């Protein structure tokens, strides 16, 4: 759709056809209504505010407003020791704390240039993949709610509960773990860990299929999401999209494969990309589909890790944690594949202090959300909700 | 009631019973079923919905108030009664107040023509079905009044959607009911039940005795979901899109009235569908040889039992659908109404007419 001037906008009517064609009728003078969607709205997933200019049910333009959850993460980092930043990273993406911790610790470890015990690497991958499943379950469940299906949401939360119990058992916390530390882990895993995670994997496999049948293959669900909010691959790349969003547009880009870290190169898993048979490539359904398929891939990763994880007698997960973290002067950018896309930390050290000179966080949700204005043009309000849901934002990470 | 005198002798006699100026007999015949339904609608409809949804979602539902949380709805009513009655300053006061009242009245006035058994009926109008369809459309006025009067953009969206939806879906719904009227040759609700009762039980129901009846039956069921704003057609109150639709600004007892009206309408359409296609209060059990099951399970009390059970079944199906399906989009909803249900309703209409002539 071409750009319209303000005066022109006032005399133009945008009509969306059945086949998603946008037809513009000029010289039909209708009045526009400004609709403030959020920050207190059920489907803006937190405190996102969209200022929509609407023509009836059609959104002519939507402008996202951010910052309602801003907590000065980056400024705080300049006043904190390297290890004390870890709990703050949990609070960025509170649905995937382990993954964000991992990204931050990778950065500092790169800066310090230290070796990590192999068992620690395996545990880190297991917990972050568990957390990825938990995060995708929330994404899929709330997406169901956005489209009016309430039951899948509770099924998702029931299954997520098992993961949270496991992670609570390991770290003592359900969402804000502070478990992955620089150079090691807060605690080693409990003795029965392997057995209970294997039990969960066995339990979750059929549940993932059930979810697929209940939600993804539902006729109404497909009708609501197929062809809605199409993002072509080149535009997605220009917007610097990452994670399931970019893969939904058909780009096979996964940092676990393309810029491998930890022990991911040793593991065998696929990067699911929609093939365009069930969904139109780049639409909301593709993005949902990528998340649904990724959960099964994560299960594969967890199973392999459980098999290969070395048992070490008298293992101390804190043994290699440096007493005082004072990296050499320099800068580093470390990134990891989070459930919502690429999360990166750019850390600068001046070589004298135990605090970073600068710590910039690259938020996946913030970048993904930046395409909202483009995606929302000419959509109906229900489709706008479907698009926001498919972006799967966590406002804690958007605003930091 | 003149067409079925034998069934209604004692209820007619009771209607004539006065204590001074007080029409006590009439109160018992007409008002008691209504009160029962109102009580049901508020307490057990809500309680049932919460429990059914809970069991479908691996939860327990309300468990705290009373055994198995059975008094939960009463506690909720008390809470709603205590709440401050807020009218927003920017709202149109008259419309804001009158909206829920109109909706409530529209929903509950239709109960007048519902027969609960051969003896209980508020008023056996000879145009009962027509009256029910007409009075339910009245709800649209209430929705529009409250949506516009709230002076809230979300409420306005909800009201506009709701009016468009209900007015559209009335067409296939009415045509489907018209098919039923053609099969029976009457519009009187009591007469529908009388015609569908007989010694072979459910065989006499139009759904089973008429080969075309399933088509208007399905059309009316789908359309009635939309008329009631039930999922998957709950777009006027789509909470993830429009916050709460046309009752966004309502709280306290006014909100409870919307709630009551919704559950009342649910029962109403369920009762209508069971009267028109499933015999209403007629017992479904057939006489088998010496076991006169049909005779044993007929009569005023059994009649009330059967119609309420049939209505409960359809309410259960409505809840089942609500907690399973996602919501349609507005344009898809309209597509379904105008391009699928309405043409099929006309086809059903013609087929029924042909069947009625040549059967």
């Amino acid at each position: 759709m071409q750009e319209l001037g303000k005066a022109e906008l006032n005399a133009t009517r945008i009509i969306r056809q059945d086949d998603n064609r946008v037809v513009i009728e000029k010289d039909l003078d209708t009045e526009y209504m400004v609709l403030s969607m959020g920050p207190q709205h059920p489907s803006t997933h937190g405190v996102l505010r969209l200022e929509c200019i609407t023509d009836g049910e059609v959104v002519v333009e939507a402008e996202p407003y951010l910052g309602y959850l801003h907590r000065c993460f980056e400024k705080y980092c300049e006043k904190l020791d390297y290890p004390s930043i870890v709990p703050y990273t949990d609070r960025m993406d509170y649905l995937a704390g382990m993954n964000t911790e991992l990204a931050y610790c990778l950065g500092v470890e790169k800066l310090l240039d230290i070796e990590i015990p192999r068992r620690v690497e395996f545990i880190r991958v297991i917990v972050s993949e568990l957390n990825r499943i938990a995060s995708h379950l929330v994404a899929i469940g709330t997406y169901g709610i956005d489209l009016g299906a309430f039951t899948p949401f509770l099924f998702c939360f029931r299954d997520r509960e098992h993961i949270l119990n496991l992670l609570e058992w390991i770290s003592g916390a359900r969402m804000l773990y502070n478990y992955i530390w620089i150079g090691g882990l807060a605690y080693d895993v409990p003795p029965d860990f392997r057995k209970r995670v294997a039990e969960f994997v066995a339990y979750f496999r059929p549940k993932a299929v059930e979810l697929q049948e209940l939600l993804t293959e539902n006729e109404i669900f497909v009708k609501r999401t197929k062809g809605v909010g199409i993002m072509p691959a080149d535009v997605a790349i220009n917007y610097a999209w990452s994670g399931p969003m970019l893969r939904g547009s058909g780009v096979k880009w996964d940092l676990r494969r393309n810029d491998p870290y930890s022990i991911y190169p040793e593991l065998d898993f696929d990067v699911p990309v929609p093939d365009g048979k069930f969904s139109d490539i780049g639409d909301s359904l593709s993005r949902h589909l990528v998340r649904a398929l990724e959960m099964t891939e994560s299960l594969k990763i967890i199973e392999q890790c459980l098999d290969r994880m070395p048992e070490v007698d008298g293992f101390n997960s804190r043994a290699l944690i440096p007493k005082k973290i004072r990296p050499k002067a320099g800068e580093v950018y470390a990134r990891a594949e989070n459930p919502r896309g690429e999360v990166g930390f750019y850390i600068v050290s001046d070589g004298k202090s135990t605090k970073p000179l600068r710590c910039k966080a690259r938020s996946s949700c913030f970048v993904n959300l930046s395409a909202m204005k483009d995606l929302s043009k000419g959509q109906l309000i229900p489709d706008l909700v479907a698009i926001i849901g498919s972006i799967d934002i966590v406002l804690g990470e958007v605003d930091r | 009631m003149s067409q079925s005198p034998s069934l209604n002798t004692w209820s007619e006699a009771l209607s004539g019973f006065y204590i001074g100026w007080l029409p006590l007999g009439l109160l018992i015949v007409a008002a008691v079923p209504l009160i029962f339904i109102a009580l049901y609608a508020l307490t057990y409809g809500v309680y049932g919905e919460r429990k059914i949804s809970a069991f479908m979602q691996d939860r327990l539902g309300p468990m705290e108030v009373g055994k198995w949380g059975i008094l939960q709805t009463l506690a909720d009513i008390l809470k709603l009664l205590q709440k401050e009655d807020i009218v927003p300053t920017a709202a149109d006061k008259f419309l804001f107040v009158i909206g829920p009242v109109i909706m409530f009245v529209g929903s509950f006035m239709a109960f007048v023509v519902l027969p609960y058994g051969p003896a209980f009926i508020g008023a056996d109008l000879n145009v009962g079905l027509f009256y029910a369809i007409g009075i339910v459309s009245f709800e649209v006025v209430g929705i529009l009044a409250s949506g516009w009067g709230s002076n809230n953009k979300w409420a306005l969206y909800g009201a506009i959607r709701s009016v468009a939806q209900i007015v559209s879906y009335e067409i296939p719904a009415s045509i489907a009911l018209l098919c039923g009227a053609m099969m029976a040759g009457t519009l009187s609700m009591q007469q529908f039940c009388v015609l569908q009762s007989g010694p072979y039980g459910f065989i006499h129901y139009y759904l089973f005795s008429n080969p075309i009846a399933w088509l208007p039956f399905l059309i009316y069921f789908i359309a009635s979901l939309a008329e009631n704003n039930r999922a998957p057609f709950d777009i006027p109150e789509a909470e993830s899109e429009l916050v709460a639709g046309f009752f966004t600004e309502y709280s306290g007892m006014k909100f409870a009235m919307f709630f009551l009206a919704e559950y009342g309408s649910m029962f109403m359409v369920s009762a209508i569908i069971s009267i028109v296609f499933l015999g209403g209060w007629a017992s479904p059990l057939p006489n088998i040889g010496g076991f006169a099951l049909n005779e044993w399970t007929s009569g005023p009390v059994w009649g009330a039992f059967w119609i309420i059970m049939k209505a409960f079944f359809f309410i259960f199906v409505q809840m089942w659908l609500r907690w399973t399906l996602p919501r349609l989009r507005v344009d898809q909803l309209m597509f379904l109404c105008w391009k699928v249900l309405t043409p099929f309703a006309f086809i059903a209409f013609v087929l029924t007419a042909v069947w009625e002539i040549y059967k």
Side-chain angles (χ1 to χ4, degrees), chain A residues 33-36 41-43 54 56-57 145-148 150-151 154-155 158 218 220 223-224 381-383, chain B residues 56-59 153-154 157 161 232 239-243 323-332 335 339:
Chain A
M33 186 162 89
V34 179
L35 187 70
S36 186
H41 187 276
S43 59
T54 55
E57 286 254 345
I145 285 208
D146 286 344
L147 301 175
F150 200 82
T151 303
L154 285 147
F155 283 13
R158 176 196 64 196
N218 188 306
I220 299 177
K223 260 193 154 176
R224 281 294 307 275
I381 289 176
D383 287 344
Chain B
M56 281 176 188
Q57 296 162 350
D58 255 6
R59 297 184 286 125
K153 287 166 184 170
W154 300 112
Y157 270 126
R161 279 183 178 193
E239 80 270 355
S240 56
E241 292 155 24
L242 301 184
V243 191
W323 296 107
T324 309
L325 295 176
R327 184 184 306 120
L328 285 169
R329 208 167 54 205
V330 191
D331 54 328
Q332 291 165 347
F335 180 91
K339 296 191 178 169

Side-chain angles (χ1 to χ4, degrees), chain A residues 8 13 41 59 77 123 147 154 257 300 328 332:
Chain A
E8 212 181 343
R13 198 175 174 79
H41 187 276
V59 177
C77 291
I123 296 170
L147 301 175
L154 285 147
R257 277 272 178 265
K300 257 200 223 165
K328 289 197 287 287
V332 73

